[in-house]
Amino acid sequence: MAENPVQTDKLSEKQYEYMNLIAEIMDIRKLGEKPLAFIRTYGCQQNVADSERIKGMLEKSGFGFTETPEDADFILFNTCAVREHAEDRVFGNVGALKNIKRKHPHILIALCGCMMEQEHIANRIYKSFPFVGLVFGTHSLHHFPELMYDALCNGRRVFERGNDDKKIYEGFPIRRDGSFKGWLPIMYGCNNFCTYCIVPYVRGRERSREKDVIISEAREMIGSGYKDITLLGQNVNSYGKTLDEPLSFASLISEIDEIEGDYWLRFMTSHPKDCSRELIDAIAGGRHISRHLHLPFQSGSDRILKAMNRHYDRKKYLDIVSYAKERIPGVSLTSDIIVGFPGETYEDFKQTLSLVREVEFTSLYTFIYSPRVGTPAASMDDPIPAAEKSKWFRELLDIQEEIAAKRCASMVGQTERVLIEEVKEKTGELNARTSGNIIVELEGGESLVGSFRNVKITSARNWILKGEIVKE
Ligand code: 5AD
Ligand code: SF4
């Protein structure tokens, strides 16, 4: 039994009553016409999954959805706090809503998500954006209908943050964005406190959803035609530690993998400090688990990894990678990297470059370090000028482009199973993705979208492949 098992609660009846009340009010205000919501999501897939729950609650409150903010009765931005750039975009876009509010005074403008859990941000919104009527943080999702009702009816601005009761809530209505690609959160929060990262402060302590709830959500998704399901958590490798009966992530994914059907199972994000051989064995032996490991290493320098509080070193990372390459032939590895962490020298950065060359990643998500208020790294000495960091960043991109191009070129002639995802607007070609998450462009009709096909790779351009469907 876990030391402090996390309590699970259900979205309460009261919240469903608020959804009905919102529907009644909107019906009167709109004289029977369907009210519309515009939802914009910034940041990671966890935010996308939260927005799908908010949309589910709005749908139950009688709302339809629009892509045009001017047509909406309710506008919501679900925000991201992970880097300054994401926050600046939100501030810019919120500022632009002022005109819409002036033209349509009855519109309710709301902000939620990670940025709103930070006191200095909520205060700035309160003071500088008086037309924002509702603000709530990541811990308030389970009483969003009540907050919205309050903001709609009581003529006052509703602000709520810091509401972490350390529980898990189930029973949300969900309106998923995709019909064959979907997200399945298995845990929330993070306990790692990497020194650069704001996430543990805005999403609270790690807590895992019950295995049975996850399995039944997976069954439901597979049953209704989902072909590509990504299990989500900040650190999926520590799944299960807060459960009454602790369970490893490797066991969870292997159990989901037993569900019959035609689908791929993905997961993100894995933390190298907890990435077990058992998990790699589970991928190797899986029937549906994609042969892809997203394993952020952040820096190739042991000195910087220590300053980042990452709890692994370069050697441990490379050991996991070589085990993965041995057990899963052709495994696709991807990673996150931070360039220019406080105190990083060019010598440290060269260690990152050499690790990138050694591993040969399929693709990388690269970021220039961005100081976050309240994190330990924000008060560390940071003498390297921004222009120098940008130069290093460019050097990293150039090396990765070369590696990705080489990897893609080596796939020409192979046959790959792909999931066809969309018709490209510009060219009318199809975009598909391999199990290793590499994009393949194909000729074919719209009716193929959402299906698996075997494809012969005919050519490669940088990190994109071209292919032809193999007749089956
Ligand atoms: N600055 C730059 N990148 C960051 N990340 C997290 N915090 C910061 C920050 N303060 C990156 C990490 C993480 C990814 C989701 O975002 O690489 O893995
Ligand atoms: Fe942030 Fe580190 Fe937690 Fe990832 S593992 S969310 S980088 S603190």
Side-chain angles (χ1 to χ4, degrees):
M1 180 140 163
E3 254 175 50
N4 290 308
V6 165
Q7 219 188 315
T8 298
D9 243 332
K10 272 192 98 65
L11 185 65
S12 69
E13 280 302 316
K14 196 169 112 193
Q15 298 306 318
Y16 278 93
E17 282 163 25
Y18 278 114
M19 293 181 222
N20 289 336
L21 287 172
I22 294 171
E24 281 170 23
I25 295 167
M26 293 311 295
D27 200 44
I28 295 167
R29 287 197 185 170
K30 300 278 295 176
L31 303 170
E33 199 185 310
K34 203 172 184 61
L36 296 176
F38 171 88
I39 313 295
R40 178 179 287 160
T41 307
Y42 298 82
C44 68
Q45 278 74 22
Q46 187 62 58
N47 260 15
V48 174
D50 284 352
S51 288
E52 291 181 340
R53 280 153 182 79
I54 293 172
K55 287 181 202 172
M57 291 186 272
L58 285 167
E59 197 165 54
K60 284 249 178 284
S61 310
F63 274 80
F65 296 90
T66 173
E67 295 296 315
T68 317
E70 285 78 6
D71 295 343
D73 302 282
F74 178 62
I75 295 183
L76 174 75
F77 289 175
N78 189 0
T79 64
C80 168
V82 87
R83 280 172 295 275
E84 194 178 357
H85 177 65
E87 290 192 344
D88 288 346
R89 272 177 56 217
V90 169
F91 280 121
N93 292 335
V94 174
L97 296 177
K98 190 174 172 180
N99 279 337
I100 299 187
K101 179 74 180 175
R102 197 180 306 129
K103 275 193 233 151
H104 308 281
H106 290 302
I107 205 167
L108 174 61
I109 296 179
L111 303 174
C112 70
C114 293
M115 262 173 94
M116 301 307 132
E117 281 296 343
Q118 300 174 93
E119 193 175 1
H120 70 283
I121 300 274
N123 288 343
R124 180 170 161 191
I125 300 283
Y126 194 83
K127 287 199 193 104
S128 312
F129 301 96
F131 52 88
V132 172
L134 169 62
V135 163
F136 59 98
T138 56
H139 302 300
S140 300
L141 228 59
H142 61 280
H143 62 154
F144 160 67
E146 183 173 357
L147 297 174
M148 181 167 171
Y149 177 80
D150 199 10
L152 278 173
C153 292
N154 296 336
R156 63 184 187 94
R157 301 173 78 196
V158 175
F159 276 59
E160 182 178 274
R161 48 168 289 280
N163 191 32
D164 188 3
D165 59 8
K166 302 188 168 52
K167 287 187 188 170
I168 283 203
Y169 287 88
E170 299 293 355
F172 284 95
I174 307 175
R175 183 181 194 272
R176 295 188 196 277
D177 290 342
S179 57
F180 58 89
K181 229 177 132 139
W183 314 108
L184 203 178
I186 61 165
M187 60 204 294
Y188 307 102
C190 180
N191 285 351
N192 291 315
F193 291 96
C194 301
T195 53
Y196 51 81
C197 186
I198 195 72
V199 169
Y201 305 89
V202 294
R203 285 207 170 262
R205 293 294 63 72
E206 180 181 296
R207 46 217 129 145
S208 299
R209 296 177 75 189
E210 298 282 344
K211 180 188 83 177
D212 293 349
V213 180
I214 297 170
I215 303 257
S216 74
E217 197 168 320
R219 269 189 207 291
E220 194 187 302
M221 290 174 82
I222 294 161
S224 51
Y226 281 83
K227 299 276 191 285
D228 186 318
I229 297 172
T230 304
L231 309 179
L232 293 179
Q234 302 297 343
N235 176 12
V236 292
N237 300 117
S238 76
Y239 171 79
K241 289 186 182 152
T242 60
L243 296 175
D244 261 348
E245 288 172 40
L247 174 81
S248 72
F249 177 60
S251 316
L252 175 77
I253 201 166
S254 300
E255 260 194 63
I256 301 176
D257 187 42
E258 280 170 22
I259 303 173
E260 290 304 327
D262 195 17
Y263 64 93
W264 277 341
L265 206 49
R266 303 181 184 277
F267 55 93
M268 65 193 296
T269 290
S270 288
H271 194 309
K273 86 178 164 66
D274 303 308
C275 186
S276 63
R277 291 192 164 213
E278 187 198 2
L279 173 62
I280 291 168
D281 294 341
I283 303 173
R287 294 185 302 159
H288 305 99
I289 308 173
S290 70
R291 301 172 89 73
H292 172 205
L293 192 56
H294 180 62
L295 197 62
F297 72 90
Q298 314 295 0
S299 166
S301 152
D302 286 345
R303 198 177 72 80
I304 297 299
L305 286 172
K306 212 168 171 96
M308 287 176 164
N309 193 34
R310 291 287 290 176
H311 295 283
Y312 56 87
D313 58 14
R314 181 186 174 93
K315 179 174 177 309
K316 168 153 186 195
Y317 187 86
L318 289 171
D319 283 350
I320 304 170
V321 165
S322 67
Y323 188 66
K325 285 183 173 173
E326 177 195 318
R327 293 285 287 121
I328 316 166
V331 64
S332 171
L333 293 155
T334 57
S335 193
D336 295 349
I337 298 176
I338 295 179
V339 174
F341 183 79
E344 182 173 350
T345 62
Y346 189 65
E347 284 309 304
D348 293 310
F349 175 67
K350 280 204 308 205
Q351 298 276 312
T352 295
L353 295 181
S354 80
L355 197 145
V356 165
R357 287 196 193 279
E358 190 167 339
V359 176
E360 300 194 315
F361 294 96
T362 307
S363 58
L364 292 175
Y365 300 86
T366 45
F367 310 101
I368 292 185
Y369 169 71
S370 166
R372 307 286 62 217
V373 175
T375 60
S379 49
M380 293 178 187
D381 245 10
D382 191 5
I384 304 290
E388 182 67 11
K389 292 186 183 182
S390 298
K391 236 164 65 189
W392 298 359
F393 188 75
R394 192 64 249 169
E395 196 176 343
L396 173 60
L397 295 191
D398 288 347
I399 288 175
Q400 179 54 28
E401 254 177 50
E402 208 184 284
I403 292 169
K406 196 173 106 194
R407 188 187 160 99
C408 282
S410 76
M411 292 173 77
V412 174
Q414 290 176 8
T415 299
E416 284 276 335
R417 187 165 155 78
V418 301
L419 176 62
I420 300 179
E421 295 191 339
E422 59 178 1
V423 180
K424 288 207 294 186
E425 240 178 65
K426 269 193 192 152
T427 59
E429 272 177 317
L430 297 172
N431 255 351
R433 217 171 264 271
T434 67
S435 150
N437 225 7
I438 302 175
I439 295 174
V440 186
E441 294 173 342
L442 311 163
E443 297 290 330
E446 195 176 352
S447 61
L448 296 175
V449 171
S451 67
F452 285 112
R453 286 288 185 274
N454 286 330
V455 160
K456 178 141 190 211
I457 307 300
T458 51
S459 66
R461 180 170 41 86
N462 297 331
W463 56 89
I464 293 178
L465 300 170
K466 279 203 179 279
E468 278 167 11
I469 295 174
V470 176
K471 294 232 160 38
E472 280 159 54

